[in-house]
Amino acid sequence: MKYVIFIPDGSSDLPLDELDGKTPLQVAETPNIDKLAQNGFGGFTNNVPDGYTPGSDVANMSIFGYNPADYYTGRGPLEAGSMGIDTKPTDVIFRCNTITEKDDTMENFNADHITSEEAAVLMDALNQHFNEKYDDFKGKFYAGISYRHLFVYSCESEEDANLLSDLNTVPPHDIAGENLTEYTTWEDDMAVNMRDIMYETQEVLKDHEVNKKRIADGKCPANMVWLWGQGTTPKLPDFKETYGLTGAVITGVDLLKGIGVFANLDVIDVPGATGFFDTDYGAKGQYGIEALKNHDVLLIHIEAPDEAGHAQLIDEKVKAIERIDEFIVGPIIESLQGEDFKAAILPDHPTPISIGTHTRDDVPLVIYSSDKTGDGCTSFDEEGVKTGSIEKQEGYKLMSRLINEF
Ligand SMILES: [Zn+2]
């Protein structure tokens, strides 16, 4: 038996006047997905537990079969996993943005999308500065992509690491133009130390050659770092040990690669998978077919509908859904003909065009099983699954339900 889970990120939506009261999923022409729906089971699920922000990290952790309430430790650790950084249980991994600070406010949370090359030079300079100035500096900066980096801080004990993980840090994109001191009014020693580190980076960065050149070119300088999204390394049970099945994940998004790494799934890199509208859908489909030849389970995630939702572009969203159907779902299902297989398709969370960001609402779900007759669900969208028979349960239970029940 093969299992494939298609995750069109953020594809579910709200009815739009521009689409005569329909949603992008309803309007998109998706003959392959329709076939799964019409011969499968429909229903709703919810991947975001109460109290969690509806991010792709939390929602996809549910889809991968892990209850975020038990296993989610933060965004930083998942990115560390995807970057192959080895961390200990006493380490706290922060997301580290190179930002533009002006008069102690968040002038630009990404320093004008600084290039990875420039940022790597700055991260090196920070490591050098802190290691030269302090005998036993406990932190290390890791350069990532563009403005998205990591800072790993080694605590004395796991207890300290847990305390530091709980520190109330704020995503920099949420505080554009706001005062920075207000968001770092911490009192605990370790927290004060983090604040000192953030502010001390200004000494190194403000007159750095890289920034002098950026200013001369009319770009925002990366004159400070902002630490947030921290946590300890998540301890996800091994996917293979849990289900007795081998698994692979295909995605263009680091956070999801990280979940795959910690779950001990094979993370398959697809050339041309960008995590944006321009992703190479055909390549993803072909790599998916190959992955299913030597794995039992494939999770295949496509970010494009979510990006279209954020950009509030109706046509792009409809097109992304149609391309997923044509170049990913169609060819993969075709390649499985003659074999026993099950397929599920669901978004992690809705990204409604009218809102331009994620919501925590239920998402439509279709499950197809090659050896079962379906329940008369008509299509994979917010309306079509309403006639389906799948009972709504917490999202993280879907994986075991798919494997064991359908
Ligand atoms: Zn999103």
Side-chain angles (χ1 to χ4, degrees), residues 9 56 303 306 310 349 351 358:
D9 197 307
S56 287
E303 176 77 355
D306 177 65
H310 287 295
H349 53 67
T351 309
H358 308 171

Side-chain angles (χ1 to χ4, degrees), residues 1-4 239-240 244-248 291-298 342:
M1 179 71 78
K2 299 282 182 184
Y3 306 84
V4 53
F239 187 92
K240 192 173 172 196
L245 300 169
T246 56
L292 279 163
K293 288 181 182 160
N294 47 17
H295 296 88
D296 303 312
V297 181
L298 170 67
K342 298 181 190 179

